[in-house]
Amino acid sequence: MSMLFFGFTSATGQVTFQGKVLDSIGNPLELANVIAINQATKGLESYGITDQAGQFKLKLGKQGTYELQISYIGLETLKEVVVTGEEDISKDFILQSSIALDEAEVVYKMPVAVKGDTLVYDADSFNRGTERKLEDVLENLPGVEINEDGQIEVEGKVVNKLMVNGKDFFDGDTKLATKNIPSNAVDKVQVLRNYAEVGQLRSVTNNQDNVAMNIKLKEGKESFWFGTVTAGAGASPEEALYIAQPKLFYYSPKYSLNFIGDMNNTGEAALTRRDIRNFGGGLRSPSRDSGTALNLGDNSLNFLTSQGNAVDIDNKLLSGNFSYSPKSTLDLSGFAIFNSSRILSRELNFIQYTDADLGIPDEATEQTSRERSNQGLLKLSAKYQPNVNNQLDYDVLARISNDSQDQNLVSSVLGSTQQRDEVTPYRINQNINYYYTLDENNIFAFEAQHLLQNEDPFYNAILLNDPNGDDAFDNTADALGLNTLQATYNIDQERRIRSNQLDAKLDYYHILNKTSNLNFTLGTILSRQEFNSNIFQFLDNGTALSPEPSFNEGRASNDTRYDFSDVYLGVRYRLKAGIFTLTPGFSVHAYGNQNEQFNEGFKENFFRFLPEFETRMQFKTSESLTLTYNMRNQFTDVTRLAEGLVLNNFNSLQFGEAELQNALSHNVSLFYSSFNLFNYTNVFARAAYSNNIDQIRSFTNFENVIRTSTFFNSSFADETASLFGRVQRTFGKIRATLNSSFNYSKINQFIQNRRSLNEGFTQTYTPGLRTNFKVAPNIDISYRYSVTDNDQGGRSTKFITHAPRASFDAYIWKSVTLKSNYTYTEQRLENGVSQSFQNWDATLGYRKDRDAKWEYEVRATNILNIDAQVRNSANNISVFTSETFILPRFLTFRVVYTL
């Protein structure tokens, strides 16, 4: 969370100093900067920014003398001495024209400056002395927040590009920056709203949802290395602990180098496996706005737990980023990342299936898992811009991983099972873009992306079997065609999925006049996927059996090819009229898809018209409302078309349907944002609704707790709706926040040949208070209250969550930093049963002063030594309670050296 403080004062009594700022002909000036310097302390006493009517309001101490400075881009800065008494003061000011303005002085002295679409924050104006990383700085800033996924949000919008001194920092990722750039290197934080990646397209595209951030380094941080090196050790009941975290940065006008390393067994992950898998490297699909959504599937391992929930964790990260400009027209950049993790996890689950009348027994399970993951990424980029009318970009992003997982599952229904998963996929993305401005009214843009992907998941399961008894798995084994006279069921499955896709488009923009333009798009998506799979049973004598199921026409293997094509023409018209920006459009698609398997083929060709519309109302510079509507055509991947049997795992089997059709969705969203620097209020709300027609759903049948699924296009529409909002207001040194969210879903499910309607509604409210004192300790408290209602046809459930949270930080004697975080979580069922767990961490650090090179730190995690976290949840098939075991209490000592 972040907040803005518009009143710095050391006096116990205050008066209000207010008025208007006008230009020389009497027009009000919006977003003028007004600051008051205390003449006794020479410090910043108060500051403000004028509203649409040119009004400002400052809080000043009584019986004081202040230098008032009022500035506005392009006008001469006004300076005037103000003496306060016991009464409030009201006065207007007029700014005169100026040939030049010393912008550096204005930006330096103003904690927040507004320059067009750019917000400039002075970091030191908000820092409290306890900051160590960039994320600590950002959380102090007004309108800026670090969300639960580690992404930076500005006024409710995710920052999709982060730069340092104007140079890209690990393209497409902000978490590496927020977790690793040292706070003492940050001078200014520039928020670039309505950001256009390509300057030539700024005037012809809607960039309202694009937000970038540039971190300007302090003077003296250029042309030599800076950063931190952390080393530490500790002890736990199980093993010795270690931490090594070198974070080194070099910036010069011509090139930059960044190195981030992190090796520890304390559970501190600089990047999780999920982060690496979602790391897009800044690449975006050319067809992202075409109306076609083609899913190529994800066949990576489904690890048992997230990286933060385990009983033993060992992480290693090595990463480097560079940028180099050999000449003014050419920029080269790239990064390399290697991430390795070793995790031991344990989880207890109790599962109740949705409809008691279906005869599916409740199941209790205990799972332990040893997980190993090695992931590597490499990206190289080149940007060539010989003049303002031409720009050529090329990127290549390669990723490879080697993941494995060994699980031991004990089920109250199926007994003991050992499972092993392995996968060594690779993926290569190449991207080429060319932008050409013919003249002031005609612009061309060509974008193309090629994807080559190979996935090879391997699965093995070993179940105990009594050849002379009656085991819960026996009926499934018979149906699969397994030999039931073995001491164990030893089942293997090999799969390989190859994907090859070209995604390209050519845009032509014709500027009609200053307020309108036309955009024509000609694009295509060409995709081929090949899928092979085989199932084997290894017998006690070591030989392999290829089973023949007694269902699904005996098809136990797959050899499927799936070809997809989309050729489309899109038209958009963009018009600015007063406060409105209207962008109606449509696209016409010629689709073709076919698949071949079991010596048979299925082919389909059809046309589809997809309309879209967006309107934006810009009420003020920082207040807007955006409404969007679009239709999307959704296509599945090859694994749901493949008719042979696939083992998701030993108790979940599926086979596809070759004649699956596409699904169609209607999507509506409404976004409101208001960032008011006059009355210190930040408000945003986002509402969304989606109606899915011909959605691909599954027929699911259970034998005990073993399920078999196949797919079809449902004639029953599924719906989702969501609403999220935040109101934030600052009162002196205290910021109050209220977050609320509402999520509704209606899903049709088909189990045991019966249709039922699954409806879920979750409402969450999170009020919070945070202080921002320069010398006094600061607190951040919040309370999350959440209610989840599920009606699953034959069973209704309600979960209620209470989660108060408090954090404390203090900067003592200008040398000691104390931080502490505490969270209590209680989950209740409607029958009164409740479960709870607590998390408490604390850090105590010492450095002689803010400029000291050495810092010594003691960190304690899980101070209460809680052994597990609990949660209750529900999906469209089951309701479950889980208990996930976590790392024990850790106490570590660390030494940090600042370069």
Side-chain angles (χ1 to χ4, degrees):
M1 293 289 187
S2 56
M3 63 179 177
L4 185 58
F5 298 92
F6 286 85
F8 295 87
T9 180
S10 56
T12 55
Q14 291 183 321
V15 297
T16 298
F17 184 89
Q18 62 184 346
K20 290 184 178 182
V21 179
L22 310 170
D23 63 15
S24 58
I25 60 175
N27 294 321
L29 295 175
E30 184 183 6
L31 302 178
N33 298 322
V34 184
I35 62 176
I37 307 297
N38 190 312
Q39 294 296 85
T41 65
K42 300 302 180 182
L44 179 64
E45 182 77 12
S46 184
Y47 69 95
I49 295 176
T50 58
D51 66 4
Q52 194 173 26
Q55 299 180 56
F56 69 90
K57 183 185 296 184
L58 303 180
K59 292 293 184 180
L60 303 178
K62 295 180 178 179
Q63 306 298 334
T65 302
Y66 306 94
E67 181 184 80
L68 193 70
Q69 295 184 7
I70 304 176
S71 59
Y72 188 84
I73 300 296
L75 300 180
E76 185 176 352
T77 299
L78 184 150
K79 297 182 180 181
E80 182 174 311
V81 175
V82 175
V83 179
T84 60
E86 297 292 327
E87 303 296 329
D88 293 342
I89 302 174
S90 180
K91 186 175 182 180
D92 297 341
F93 297 89
I94 296 175
L95 300 187
Q96 303 296 327
S97 299
S98 174
I99 298 176
L101 174 69
D102 186 356
E103 294 185 17
E105 178 185 12
V106 175
V107 174
Y108 174 77
K109 291 187 175 181
M110 273 299 295
V112 183
V114 182
K115 300 168 64 177
D117 286 331
T118 301
L119 287 175
V120 183
Y121 299 95
D122 179 68
D124 285 341
S125 297
F126 300 95
N127 288 345
R128 306 177 298 196
T130 59
E131 297 80 13
R132 293 297 181 269
K133 296 176 290 187
L134 175 61
E135 67 176 348
D136 300 325
V137 176
L138 297 180
E139 287 177 338
N140 293 333
L141 304 182
V144 182
E145 181 181 1
I146 307 295
N147 64 25
E148 293 181 355
D149 294 325
Q151 299 170 310
I152 304 172
E153 287 188 4
V154 176
E155 302 166 30
K157 301 173 184 177
V158 173
V159 173
N160 48 41
K161 185 180 184 67
L162 187 137
M163 299 169 284
V164 177
N165 274 12
K167 302 180 185 295
D168 289 352
F169 189 90
F170 288 92
D171 294 348
D173 180 78
T174 58
K175 190 173 181 180
L176 269 175
T178 60
K179 295 289 185 183
N180 294 286
I181 293 178
S183 60
N184 60 5
V186 180
D187 181 27
K188 302 289 191 296
V189 177
Q190 297 176 328
V191 175
L192 312 175
R193 298 182 291 189
N194 301 322
Y195 180 75
E197 187 79 29
V198 181
Q200 292 164 264
L201 304 182
R202 179 183 301 275
S203 63
V204 293
T205 56
N206 292 337
N207 306 299
Q208 295 90 349
D209 291 331
N210 296 337
V211 180
M213 182 173 286
N214 181 46
I215 307 301
K216 291 193 67 68
L217 300 175
K218 290 184 176 178
E219 292 185 10
K221 297 299 182 182
E222 292 188 343
S223 300
F224 69 90
W225 288 94
F226 69 94
T228 61
V229 178
T230 302
S236 75
E238 301 293 333
E239 59 182 336
L241 304 175
Y242 66 88
I243 307 103
Q245 299 171 332
K247 303 170 183 180
L248 308 174
F249 310 91
Y250 182 92
Y251 280 86
S252 71
K254 201 166 187 177
Y255 67 92
S256 68
L257 295 170
N258 305 295
F259 174 78
I260 298 172
D262 195 340
M263 292 162 278
N264 68 79
N265 61 350
T266 61
E268 302 171 34
L271 286 178
T272 66
R273 294 173 309 214
R274 177 185 174 188
D275 294 331
I276 294 289
R277 194 161 56 240
N278 294 337
F279 203 103
L283 299 185
R284 297 186 299 168
S285 166
S287 63
R288 57 191 176 273
D289 299 321
S290 69
T292 297
L294 174 62
N295 179 17
L296 296 182
D298 181 4
N299 297 280
S300 57
L301 291 192
N302 183 21
F303 287 108
L304 177 61
T305 60
S306 66
Q307 200 149 332
N309 299 329
V311 295
D312 189 21
I313 303 177
D314 193 328
N315 292 306
K316 293 180 175 64
L317 172 72
L318 296 173
S319 61
N321 173 228
F322 82 93
S323 67
Y324 175 55
S325 300
K327 53 184 180 179
S328 60
T329 59
L330 179 62
D331 293 316
L332 304 175
S333 63
F335 64 77
I337 299 174
F338 173 75
N339 191 62
S340 176
S341 64
R342 303 291 184 268
I343 296 177
L344 179 64
S345 60
R346 180 181 172 219
E347 185 172 290
L348 303 178
N349 291 287
F350 180 67
I351 306 168
Q352 296 176 292
Y353 290 88
T354 54
D355 194 333
D357 297 333
L358 296 177
I360 308 170
D362 294 340
E363 182 183 20
T365 65
E366 178 179 358
Q367 300 179 75
T368 57
S369 175
R370 188 169 295 277
E371 305 160 9
R372 291 167 291 277
S373 178
N374 297 302
Q375 300 167 299
L377 286 88
L378 175 67
K379 184 188 178 186
L380 299 173
S381 300
K383 175 183 176 182
Y384 178 60
Q385 192 169 14
N387 50 57
V388 295
N389 295 326
N390 290 270
Q391 179 176 322
L392 178 65
D393 301 335
Y394 174 75
D395 308 274
V396 57
L397 174 65
R399 67 176 71 224
I400 188 171
S401 66
N402 186 342
D403 300 334
S404 64
Q405 177 175 242
D406 292 291
Q407 289 187 59
N408 184 39
L409 172 67
V410 179
S411 166
S412 61
V413 179
L414 297 172
S416 178
T417 305
Q418 295 179 352
Q419 301 176 78
R420 179 173 178 80
D421 291 274
E422 296 176 355
V423 62
T424 56
Y426 67 81
R427 179 186 180 106
I428 301 173
N429 274 89
Q430 294 185 82
N431 196 83
I432 185 167
N433 303 327
Y434 176 60
Y435 306 96
Y436 173 62
T437 301
L438 177 64
D439 53 43
E440 62 181 9
N441 294 325
N442 298 281
I443 303 172
F444 295 87
F446 174 75
E447 299 180 4
Q449 185 176 123
H450 179 256
L451 166 68
L452 186 65
Q453 179 175 279
N454 184 84
E455 300 168 292
D456 60 346
F458 169 81
Y459 174 73
N460 170 255
I462 300 176
L463 295 82
L464 295 178
N465 177 43
D466 181 359
N468 300 315
D470 185 14
D471 297 314
F473 191 72
D474 283 347
N475 289 341
T476 301
D478 281 334
L480 285 173
L482 303 181
N483 187 327
T484 60
L485 301 179
Q486 307 299 302
T488 62
Y489 292 116
N490 188 339
I491 312 168
D492 282 6
Q493 178 179 246
E494 295 177 338
R495 286 183 287 163
R496 185 174 294 275
I497 305 95
R498 297 181 179 90
S499 302
N500 195 330
Q501 179 178 285
L502 174 66
D503 186 349
K505 70 170 181 175
L506 175 65
D507 278 300
Y508 166 61
Y509 298 92
H510 179 61
I511 300 175
L512 301 173
N513 49 53
K514 293 182 178 180
T515 61
S516 63
N517 66 266
L518 279 169
N519 169 216
F520 298 94
T521 303
L522 178 63
T524 185
I525 305 172
L526 303 174
S527 173
R528 170 171 289 185
Q529 286 191 293
E530 298 174 351
F531 176 44
N532 301 89
S533 71
N534 290 285
I535 299 174
F536 302 95
Q537 180 189 9
F538 283 92
L539 306 181
D540 294 345
N541 61 11
T543 61
L545 169 69
S546 297
E548 294 185 6
S550 60
F551 63 102
N552 192 36
E553 301 181 18
R555 296 171 174 175
S557 63
N558 281 290
D559 185 3
T560 306
R561 192 183 77 183
Y562 171 43
D563 292 300
F564 172 86
S565 67
D566 174 21
V567 178
Y568 60 91
L569 174 66
V571 180
R572 292 187 180 92
Y573 175 66
R574 185 168 178 261
L575 171 67
K576 288 186 176 181
I579 66 170
F580 294 93
T581 301
L582 306 174
T583 313
F586 65 88
S587 57
V588 180
H589 297 253
Y591 292 109
N593 61 76
Q594 61 179 7
N595 63 83
E596 297 179 5
Q597 52 187 319
F598 299 105
N599 298 318
E600 297 179 356
F602 173 77
K603 185 175 182 179
E604 181 186 34
N605 298 304
F606 64 98
F607 292 90
R608 181 59 55 86
F609 176 84
L610 300 177
E612 61 181 78
F613 178 78
E614 177 180 298
T615 182
R616 177 181 174 88
M617 289 164 276
Q618 192 75 46
F619 303 112
K620 301 176 184 177
T621 303
S622 55
E623 183 183 15
S624 64
L625 178 67
T626 304
L627 172 68
T628 61
Y629 164 78
N630 63 66
M631 288 179 64
R632 295 187 69 82
N633 228 12
Q634 302 168 351
F635 296 85
T636 189
D637 68 306
V638 67
T639 60
R640 291 190 173 188
L641 300 171
E643 295 182 331
L645 199 62
V646 174
L647 297 178
N648 295 318
N649 53 55
F650 75 95
N651 61 0
S652 177
L653 297 75
Q654 76 171 50
F655 52 92
E657 169 55 56
E659 298 186 12
L660 282 179
Q661 309 294 311
N662 63 285
L664 188 68
S665 65
H666 297 272
N667 308 283
V668 182
S669 66
L670 189 66
F671 180 75
Y672 173 79
S673 176
S674 174
F675 185 44
N676 194 320
L677 294 177
F678 176 73
N679 60 15
Y680 334 132
T681 302
N682 179 21
V683 180
F684 77 86
R686 186 186 301 273
Y689 170 77
S690 180
N691 183 284
N692 299 296
I693 303 169
D694 293 330
Q695 186 80 356
I696 296 177
R697 307 297 302 164
S698 63
F699 282 121
T700 301
N701 289 295
F702 281 84
E703 174 67 35
N704 285 321
V705 294
I706 300 169
R707 65 182 181 185
T708 304
S709 301
T710 188
F711 305 98
F712 74 106
N713 289 97
S714 171
S715 59
F716 300 94
D718 295 337
E719 298 176 73
T720 60
S722 63
L723 173 64
F724 177 78
R726 177 185 296 133
V727 179
Q728 195 176 92
R729 180 71 186 264
T730 300
F731 305 90
K733 300 294 186 181
I734 300 176
R735 182 217 56 203
T737 303
L738 174 63
N739 293 328
S740 299
S741 65
F742 306 88
N743 293 278
Y744 169 79
S745 64
K746 183 181 74 172
I747 298 174
N748 293 273
Q749 60 188 21
F750 303 83
I751 302 176
Q752 306 294 67
N753 298 318
R754 277 173 42 182
R755 170 183 170 263
S756 60
L757 190 63
N758 187 330
E759 292 185 280
F761 178 63
T762 299
Q763 49 186 316
T764 303
Y765 308 90
T766 310
L769 291 173
R770 176 175 173 153
T771 64
N772 191 23
F773 298 107
K774 283 286 186 179
V775 293
N778 286 283
I779 61 170
D780 184 356
I781 58 175
S782 64
Y783 181 85
R784 180 168 60 90
Y785 174 75
S786 178
V787 180
T788 300
D789 291 281
N790 288 282
D791 185 349
Q792 299 148 313
R795 190 191 301 269
S796 297
T797 58
K798 175 178 283 190
F799 304 129
I800 302 174
T801 301
H802 300 268
R805 182 189 65 84
S807 64
F808 170 89
D809 69 81
Y811 190 46
I812 308 168
W813 307 309
K814 297 184 178 180
S815 58
V816 176
T817 300
L818 175 62
K819 294 184 177 183
S820 181
N821 297 284
Y822 174 80
T823 304
Y824 175 83
T825 303
E826 180 192 54
Q827 295 184 324
R828 296 178 184 174
L829 300 177
E830 56 186 342
N831 59 11
V833 176
S834 67
Q835 296 171 306
S836 64
F837 61 90
Q838 305 172 72
N839 294 99
W840 184 20
D841 303 326
T843 301
L844 181 66
Y846 170 81
R847 61 180 178 183
K848 187 176 181 179
D849 53 57
R850 292 191 182 188
D851 298 324
K853 295 290 187 180
W854 294 92
E855 182 173 8
Y856 308 93
E857 184 179 275
V858 177
R859 183 175 299 184
T861 57
N862 193 10
I863 295 174
L864 301 177
N865 206 28
I866 303 300
D867 60 353
Q869 296 179 347
V870 295
R871 65 187 178 96
N872 301 294
S873 187
N875 56 36
N876 61 327
I877 291 179
S878 60
V879 179
F880 60 91
T881 299
S882 66
E883 185 176 4
T884 303
F885 290 82
I886 61 175
L887 292 168
R889 180 193 298 122
F890 282 171
L891 184 67
T892 56
F893 175 74
R894 306 166 189 228
V895 178
V896 183
Y897 177 73
T898 301
L899 279 71

